[in-house]
Amino acid sequence: TGRFDVLGHLSLHRHRQRTGKEGQVLHRSKRGWVWNQFFVIEEYTGPDPVLVGRLHSDVDKGDGTIKYILSGEGAGTIFVIDDKTGNIHATKTLDREEQAQYTLTAQAVARDTNEPLEPPSEFIVKVQDINDNPPEFLHGPYYARVPEMSNVGTSVMQVTATDADDPTYGNSARLVYSILQGQPYFSVEPQTGIIRTALPNMDREARQEYDVVIQAKDMGGHMGGLSGTTEVKITLTDVNDNPPKFPQSVYTMSVSEDKVAGEEVGRLKAKDPDMGDNGLVNYRLIDGDGMSMFELSTNSETREAVIKLKKQVDFETKRSYTLKVEGSNPHIDPRFLAWGPYKDEATIKISVEDADEPPVFIASSYTFEVEENAPRGTPVGRVHAKDTDVANNPVRYMIPRYTDVDQFFSISEDGMIITNRPLDRETQPWHNISVSATEIGGHHQDTKVRVNIKVKDVNDNSPEFATNNEVHILLLTVSMQVIETVSAVDKDEMAHRQHFTFSLAPEVAHNQNFSLKDNRDSTASIYVLRKGFSRLTQDVYYLPIEINDNGFPSMSSTNTLTIRVCSCDSKDSILSCNVEPYVLPAGLSTGALIAILACIVILLAIVVLFVALRRQKKEPLIVFEEEDIRENIITYDDEGGGEEDTEAFDIATLQNPDGANGFLPRKDIKPELQYPIRPGVGRPAPNSVDVDDFIKTRIAEADGDPTAPPYDSIQIYGYEGRGSLAGSLSSLESVTTESDLDYDYLQSWGPRFRKLADLYGTKDCSSTSDDDG
């Protein structure tokens, strides 16, 4: 049989199987003990590798024929084995917090054949914990809140520390909590870490924040243990444990009598050291003789009680007032009711200051009446104002001019309003003015009052026709026929008893054409007395009518009624009442006049158009984009044609073909469509010297271009080109070539032509020129 022995630490018994000589398989019974664990202390820092244990097989005779092999976690790096002795050493420092155990496999094999002598066996190497990690508060620093005035032992919060050491081995991870800072206000439970209050009646108004330091120590708090600390900031929250209190029991204020309602008189504030809603204070007036004159409100931002005027005070009437103000907490904590009452009172004494006030009119407004046409200086009415101050200064009156622009009125020193000139009710029935009163010797403060003056009516206007329409009668009007009913109006004030009477004027009282009948209802009817009227004899009649009113004194006026004779048709319908047909020539109507005027206008337009076209023809036919020097045509003494005839050819053809920029439009031709240059007919190449081909190409383009001018020939071509097979046409070359001409006759022309005779008359056969000019 064979087995592993683990010396010093553990043993493992494995059954082996042997094969007998007869081929039988013999089994050995398994023993009842198994491998135990190896233990290695963590953080070992000795000079030599630490011995973990020793493996030994019972087949090992000690002669070195057995080799031990180790495999598994950390084999060969962390754990090494002596293949001869089986000793296992740890070569590195182990940390239990990184890995608590390692699983390894051991095997014994023959050194020469590597055949296994024992089955592989697993074992575990455990890292034994030491206290090498202090407690840590992972979530610190902490913040906690607890109400002020809490009872002793009130839980604030719980803090928890963690220890990376093994909690199942020894006391390395058994923690105990203690308080290092924060006594005697707070305490901590050693086992749970719960922080509690330790003092009664902790007042936030005295101290609001506390810095508490909590310690956690391992090894059960014994000496040699490691520790860690954390900071806990504890804040006392507010409760309503303080009533409001006015700093003063009596406040004095003053207000001037010239202050108006709504103006602020003063402020006061009750102090409450509590915060938020617990420190809110409501104010109200509870007593005093000034409750009807003053009112109280609360400023939401400053939490002050604001005293304002409710009614305007009067120094001469009452010079001081008293108010009693109460300030109370709206939110009360029932736990602290016994500490109350949660309110306070204060007295306010308000004195009224005298002010130089403007005068006061006895009435808020005045209304007076005055007859129209009253003479200048007529009294209208009296206004009265008095000084309410103690000095009782005299008052001066005046009428602001902007309220009486036309200055109809003036006012005396005693307030009597009088007229400056007669008034006319029909022009302005009411006059609304203002009167100001100012103290003499005061601060020039004034008071204004409204004065309404009614102008009473007097019958000073004559009646007149209600309408001034003409009356139309027909040529065949019968006698005693009513042709019109007239009525009257009067600019004077219309009363319900006003009445008008009508009669014909004395000069027409006995006329033979018309008569009048008063209807006694402020109207009158006009009758025709004869039959038939002729427009040729008289077409318009004027009938004067006298109208009287029943005023006092009575007023009358004569108004003329215009009666026009009109022509009519068979149905008695009016055709015309105008006299134009008798004045205008026969057959010439308004339509004919309009037609004549239209013809004249058309003729004038034709003349203007003809003149414009004549002026337009004087412009050149061709529009050039750029001015070219070749366009300057020199006039010769010939009588037409040739170069002088600039209207007979396109001047653009004289331009340099290298600088030509395309087609130039003509003013007298507007092509309907543009045709591109045919591919077969193009310009000569820039380097071509064949002018003849170029001219033929241009002629072909002109013949095929429907937009080109209708001209068949090019009479002048001014461009000489770069060179020609025919040679130069320049006369400069004649001096270097032989000539048959005789220029000796120039000698007799005088000294001016002698030089020219020398140039052209001298024959120099030795010099020639190949220049083409």
Side-chain angles (χ1 to χ4, degrees):
T1 62
R3 66 185 179 86
F4 276 132
D5 289 335
V6 182
L7 302 179
H9 288 87
L10 71 161
S11 299
L12 175 65
H13 215 82
R14 296 288 186 182
H15 67 275
R16 297 181 59 197
Q17 59 181 12
R18 283 187 178 180
T19 304
K21 295 180 180 180
E22 300 81 13
Q24 292 180 337
V25 179
L26 301 178
H27 297 276
R28 184 176 179 178
S29 60
K30 185 178 181 180
R31 296 183 179 179
W33 44 276
V34 295
W35 285 77
N36 291 326
Q37 295 176 338
F38 286 136
F39 291 92
V40 179
I41 298 177
E42 67 170 334
E43 306 293 346
Y44 177 76
T45 58
D48 300 323
V50 62
L51 177 65
V52 179
R54 179 182 180 187
L55 298 179
H56 183 74
S57 175
D58 57 358
V59 299
D60 187 1
K61 304 302 183 182
D63 54 2
T65 60
I66 303 299
K67 181 172 70 173
Y68 296 98
I69 299 174
L70 185 66
S71 61
E73 295 178 328
T77 56
I78 300 176
F79 301 102
V80 296
I81 188 170
D82 190 338
D83 61 353
K84 292 182 179 180
T85 62
N87 292 335
I88 302 173
H89 290 81
T91 62
K92 295 183 179 180
T93 301
L94 302 181
D95 187 0
R96 188 199 68 82
E97 286 70 37
E98 291 183 3
Q99 187 167 345
Q101 65 182 19
Y102 299 86
T103 302
L104 299 172
T105 301
Q107 190 175 16
V109 298
R111 186 176 294 275
D112 51 354
T113 61
N114 282 334
E115 293 183 356
L117 302 178
E118 290 282 352
S121 298
E122 278 190 357
F123 63 94
I124 296 175
V125 178
K126 269 200 168 186
V127 182
Q128 188 173 354
D129 183 51
I130 64 173
N131 188 21
D132 60 340
N133 290 280
E136 292 183 353
F137 292 91
L138 300 180
H139 303 290
Y142 297 88
Y143 299 89
R145 300 165 67 87
V146 63
E148 64 173 332
M149 299 297 173
S150 296
N151 297 327
V152 175
T154 301
S155 175
V156 179
M157 73 172 304
Q158 182 179 12
V159 294
T160 303
T162 59
D163 196 318
D165 293 325
D166 189 0
T168 63
Y169 178 77
N171 295 326
S172 296
R174 191 163 69 88
L175 305 180
V176 174
Y177 299 93
S178 61
I179 183 168
L180 300 183
Q181 177 182 317
Q183 303 98 333
Y185 306 103
F186 300 95
S187 62
V188 63
E189 292 183 357
Q191 306 301 326
T192 62
I194 298 176
I195 303 173
R196 299 182 182 275
T197 58
L199 281 182
N201 300 329
M202 295 176 66
D203 191 4
R204 183 200 65 82
E205 287 73 33
R207 182 178 178 182
Q208 183 173 358
E209 293 185 351
Y210 297 84
D211 293 329
V212 178
V213 178
I214 303 296
Q215 181 191 62
K217 190 173 184 181
D218 58 12
M219 300 299 293
H222 294 94
M223 186 176 297
L226 302 177
S227 63
T229 61
T230 187
E231 184 178 355
V232 182
K233 291 185 177 294
I234 301 176
T235 302
L236 297 183
T237 58
D238 185 64
V239 298
N240 190 11
D241 58 340
N242 294 281
K245 183 70 177 177
F246 285 106
Q248 303 171 215
S249 59
V250 178
Y251 291 84
T252 57
M253 301 178 183
S254 62
V255 59
S256 177
E257 64 174 339
D258 59 354
K259 299 295 183 182
V260 298
E263 292 199 34
E264 181 178 325
V265 177
R267 298 188 177 198
L268 68 159
K269 182 179 181 180
K271 295 185 178 297
D272 192 327
D274 295 323
M275 296 177 60
D277 292 343
N278 297 322
L280 289 178
V281 180
N282 289 346
Y283 302 94
R284 65 188 183 100
L285 297 176
I286 58 176
D287 196 8
D289 57 359
M291 293 184 65
S292 61
M293 304 298 295
F294 301 91
E295 59 184 358
L296 184 146
S297 62
T298 302
N299 188 301
S300 59
E301 295 182 0
T302 61
R303 295 184 178 179
E304 294 176 313
V306 182
I307 308 298
K308 295 183 179 180
L309 265 179
K310 189 176 182 181
K311 297 179 181 179
Q312 191 169 6
V313 295
D314 186 13
F315 175 80
E316 289 73 26
T317 304
K318 187 174 177 61
R319 302 188 178 185
S320 65
Y321 295 91
T322 302
L323 294 173
K324 185 171 287 188
V325 181
E326 178 190 80
S328 60
N329 286 141
H331 305 285
I332 300 176
D333 195 331
R335 296 175 298 173
F336 306 103
L337 282 176
W339 296 19
Y342 288 89
K343 59 182 179 181
D344 194 19
E345 295 179 357
T347 301
I348 303 175
K349 293 185 177 181
I350 303 174
S351 60
V352 180
E353 297 178 349
D354 188 21
D356 187 11
E357 299 173 290
V360 177
F361 282 96
I362 296 177
S364 59
S365 64
Y366 295 88
T367 301
F368 302 122
E369 292 183 351
V370 60
E371 287 189 355
E372 66 173 330
N373 302 325
R376 176 183 178 181
T378 301
V380 177
R382 185 188 302 274
V383 297
H384 181 66
K386 63 178 181 178
D387 182 13
T388 57
D389 297 324
V390 177
N392 194 16
N393 293 322
V395 177
R396 179 177 57 212
Y397 302 96
M398 66 174 295
I399 298 175
R401 287 302 102 188
Y402 65 88
T403 65
D404 184 20
V405 178
D406 296 326
Q407 300 184 12
F408 288 107
F409 305 96
S410 60
I411 190 168
S412 62
E413 294 182 357
D414 59 353
M416 176 61 70
I417 300 173
I418 57 178
T419 61
N420 289 335
R421 61 174 179 268
L423 307 178
D424 184 10
R425 189 204 66 84
E426 287 70 37
T427 302
Q428 188 172 350
W430 283 87
H431 293 267
N432 301 316
I433 64 173
S434 295
V435 175
S436 65
T438 308
E439 293 180 24
I440 299 177
H443 290 80
H444 303 289
Q445 300 182 73
D446 64 340
T447 302
K448 294 182 177 61
V449 68
R450 186 68 175 266
V451 178
N452 303 315
I453 301 174
K454 181 182 179 182
V455 181
K456 297 171 64 177
D457 185 47
V458 173
N459 191 23
D460 58 346
N461 289 277
S462 302
E464 57 187 11
F465 282 144
T467 60
N468 290 322
N469 297 333
E470 291 183 348
V471 179
H472 296 162
I473 61 173
L474 302 180
L475 296 174
L476 302 177
T477 303
V478 298
S479 61
M480 299 308 295
Q481 179 180 349
V482 178
I483 60 173
E484 181 69 6
T485 299
V486 295
S487 59
V489 293
D490 195 330
K491 291 181 181 180
D492 293 323
E493 188 174 3
M494 299 291 292
H496 65 281
R497 287 183 288 181
Q498 189 171 13
H499 181 70
F500 299 104
T501 58
F502 302 86
S503 62
L504 292 177
E507 62 269 19
V508 295
H510 304 286
N511 76 92
Q512 304 297 320
N513 298 317
F514 306 98
S515 66
L516 180 145
K517 178 184 179 183
D518 193 338
N519 298 324
R520 301 183 180 278
D521 58 356
S522 296
T523 64
S525 298
I526 308 299
Y527 291 86
V528 176
L529 297 180
R530 66 185 179 86
K531 179 181 179 181
F533 291 87
S534 174
R535 298 181 63 190
L536 296 177
T537 304
Q538 185 175 355
D539 60 341
V540 178
Y541 296 89
Y542 298 99
L543 185 65
I545 299 175
E546 187 178 295
I547 309 174
N548 292 271
D549 61 15
N550 61 339
F552 182 80
S554 178
M555 299 292 294
S556 65
S557 66
T558 300
N559 296 261
T560 301
L561 182 65
T562 302
I563 303 173
R564 188 177 297 278
V565 180
C566 301
S567 61
C568 61
D569 56 9
S570 59
K571 298 181 180 180
D572 291 340
S573 297
I574 296 177
L575 292 179
S576 175
C577 295
N578 299 322
V579 297
E580 285 81 354
Y582 297 97
V583 176
L584 293 177
L588 188 58
S589 62
T590 304
L593 290 176
I594 295 175
I596 293 172
L597 291 176
C599 292
I600 294 173
V601 171
I602 293 173
L603 290 175
L604 290 176
I606 292 174
V607 172
V608 172
L609 182 60
F610 178 78
V611 173
L613 291 177
R614 292 279 294 181
R615 290 183 179 179
Q616 186 176 4
K617 288 182 179 181
K618 294 181 181 181
E619 298 179 3
L621 297 176
I622 302 174
V623 179
F624 295 99
E625 294 182 358
E626 297 181 359
E627 184 180 0
D628 197 288
I629 192 170
R630 296 180 184 86
E631 296 173 8
N632 298 329
I633 307 301
I634 300 175
T635 303
Y636 294 90
D637 292 333
D638 52 23
E639 295 182 357
E643 295 178 350
E644 185 178 6
D645 192 0
T646 58
E647 301 293 331
F649 61 91
D650 187 0
I651 198 67
T653 58
L654 298 180
Q655 295 182 353
N656 190 337
D658 292 341
N661 54 0
F663 173 73
L664 295 176
R666 288 170 56 93
K667 285 189 175 181
D668 59 340
I669 297 177
K670 183 177 181 182
E672 296 182 357
L673 60 137
Q674 298 287 343
Y675 287 87
I677 299 176
R678 291 174 293 178
V681 182
R683 292 188 177 181
N687 296 326
S688 174
V689 296
D690 193 351
V691 179
D692 184 66
D693 291 340
F694 172 73
I695 294 175
K696 291 180 181 180
T697 301
R698 294 295 301 270
I699 293 174
E701 289 178 3
D703 292 340
D705 189 359
T707 64
Y711 307 125
D712 298 329
S713 64
I714 298 177
Q715 298 180 16
I716 298 299
Y717 187 78
Y719 178 66
E720 294 183 356
R722 303 176 184 85
S724 175
L725 296 177
S728 176
L729 300 178
S730 174
S731 61
L732 297 177
E733 234 176 23
S734 61
V735 73
T736 61
T737 59
E738 293 184 0
S739 177
D740 296 332
L741 297 176
D742 185 8
Y743 294 95
D744 291 337
Y745 67 92
L746 296 175
Q747 297 286 346
S748 62
W749 283 20
R752 296 184 180 180
F753 294 91
R754 189 171 302 160
K755 184 63 175 176
L756 186 63
D758 293 338
L759 290 174
Y760 287 91
T762 304
K763 296 181 180 180
D764 188 1
C765 301
S766 63
S767 62
T768 58
S769 176
D770 296 331
D771 188 11
D772 292 334

